[in-house]
Amino acid sequence: MLRVVVLGAAAGGGVPQWNCGCEGCRAARANGHELQRTQASVAFSGDGEHWFLINASPDLRQQLNATPQLHPKAGALRHTPVAGVILTNSEVDAVAGLLSMRESSPFTIYAHDKVLAILASNSIFNVLNEKHVRRQPIGINEPFEPRLPDGARSGLEVLPFAVPGKSAWYLEGKAHPGGESGDGDTLGLKVTDKATGKCFYFIAACAEVTDALKAEIDGASMVFFDGTVWQDDEMIKCGLGQKTGKSMGHVAMSGDDGAIARLADLSIDRKIFLHINNSNPALLPASSERKAAEAAGWQIPADGTEIVL
């Protein structure tokens, strides 16, 4: 039985963001937990005992403490159900949480060579002792079975695939440690329970909904999809920045080329937006944007949401 827990649903900075006074952040501060979101990550498990994370957000410590499924087992002085972390990109909001996992518990980091090269080039990640924390390269369109800490099979299969995107913003204008050629900076994942055949997709960053991507996810039971902004120039219109969503590697929810319109003709049982920026009005339950998203069959999840497939 495949279990998935949404650890965080927000984009970088979370909601409320520490230095932001936009409408969404003000509402989140005023209304407490109902509107608050930590930065995007999910955990999944095939047996309910061993869990794998997709991305390690800067809020990971908070997320682990807020999720009973990920607590140490009763009576153990040192233990974690987390068996591995699968990285889909090298942005700060996907990798910074790894630094909170430095206390010598065994787990494996799975990532493309380009992402592993970035970790290797920054000595701060050496706090993850290689005697305990393996770094396992994964290839595009090469399915793998993440292993348990003792090397046993998990019964799960993960298929990484390339999606339109870009390298981490902090590398703009700089040489990429993993080289400039080829894909690998932005991955989508298909996660399958080999025993039941149930699966879900995770695509938290996507600059364009291509026909190839549509063909990949058509017929899926569940898709987590990039919901960073409602409209492409949202950050500019809100006075929060000078970049469009697409220039940051994210497709908008709305518009003719947005996720809602481009994926409307697909047969997907459950569509969930993830990596939602604090500027996105769809975060607000009473907004017309939220109502439009829900009318189109999309869900805006709360942190801690658990789904069983």
Side-chain angles (χ1 to χ4, degrees):
M1 185 177 296
L2 188 56
R3 298 178 179 274
V4 186
V5 177
V6 177
L7 301 181
V15 184
Q17 182 175 304
W18 69 280
N19 65 342
C20 185
C22 73
E23 181 181 6
C25 288
R26 293 197 310 272
R29 291 189 184 97
N31 291 281
H33 182 72
E34 179 184 356
L35 295 182
Q36 294 179 9
R37 302 287 191 278
T38 57
Q39 293 164 90
S41 175
V42 305
F44 65 91
S45 174
D47 59 11
E49 181 179 352
H50 304 92
W51 292 80
F52 296 89
L53 310 183
I54 301 181
N55 295 335
S57 91
D59 299 318
L60 183 58
R61 177 183 174 278
Q62 175 184 345
Q63 292 168 343
L64 295 177
N65 285 330
T67 308
Q69 299 93 319
L70 303 181
H71 291 176
K73 63 183 178 183
L77 288 177
R78 285 286 192 270
H79 170 262
T80 177
V82 177
V85 180
I86 305 167
L87 302 177
T88 64
N89 62 73
S90 56
E91 292 286 3
V92 171
D93 49 338
V95 304
L98 291 172
L99 301 177
S100 295
M101 303 178 73
R102 62 188 182 276
E103 283 83 11
S104 299
S105 287
F107 69 95
T108 300
I109 298 172
Y110 300 90
H112 191 275
D113 278 331
K114 294 188 76 172
V115 174
L116 290 178
I118 292 172
L119 299 185
S121 70
N122 190 330
S123 60
I124 195 171
F125 289 102
N126 292 340
V127 298
L128 298 166
N129 190 329
E130 292 187 17
K131 293 181 180 179
H132 306 287
V133 181
R134 294 177 55 246
R135 301 185 186 188
Q136 178 67 44
I138 60 177
I140 294 173
N141 298 325
E142 296 179 10
F144 68 94
E145 182 173 6
R147 297 300 181 110
L148 306 185
D150 63 359
R153 294 182 176 276
S154 65
L156 302 166
E157 181 180 271
V158 180
L159 174 67
F161 56 93
V163 297
K166 60 190 295 293
S167 59
W169 67 266
Y170 55 81
L171 290 175
E172 290 181 1
K174 300 178 182 177
H176 195 302
E180 301 299 331
S181 61
D183 294 316
D185 286 300
T186 305
L187 298 179
L189 300 177
K190 179 184 180 183
V191 179
T192 304
D193 183 333
K194 296 168 73 172
T196 65
K198 297 291 186 179
C199 68
F200 73 91
Y201 285 86
F202 181 94
I203 306 165
C206 180
E208 180 185 5
V209 180
T210 63
D211 290 340
L213 177 59
K214 291 178 63 175
E216 172 64 45
I217 64 177
D218 195 12
S221 298
M222 181 169 66
V223 175
F224 291 101
F225 199 82
D226 186 347
T228 305
V229 294
W230 177 256
Q231 58 186 42
D232 190 49
D233 60 353
E234 174 177 301
M235 296 285 288
I236 299 172
K237 285 188 173 180
C238 290
L240 298 175
Q242 297 301 315
K243 292 186 176 181
T244 63
K246 191 167 186 177
S247 72
M248 295 186 291
H250 300 287
V251 66
M253 289 184 181
S254 67
D256 292 343
D257 294 324
I260 292 175
R262 289 285 288 152
L263 301 180
D265 60 340
L266 302 188
S267 176
I268 300 173
D269 293 338
R270 192 164 186 173
K271 298 179 289 187
I272 303 175
F273 278 125
L274 205 68
H275 198 270
I276 306 166
N277 200 54
N278 53 64
S279 62
N280 192 329
L283 277 171
L284 301 173
S287 68
S288 59
E289 291 84 0
R290 168 70 77 89
K291 293 175 181 177
E294 291 178 341
W298 287 87
Q299 179 183 353
I300 308 293
D303 288 9
T305 299
E306 181 173 12
I307 302 157
V308 180
L309 298 177

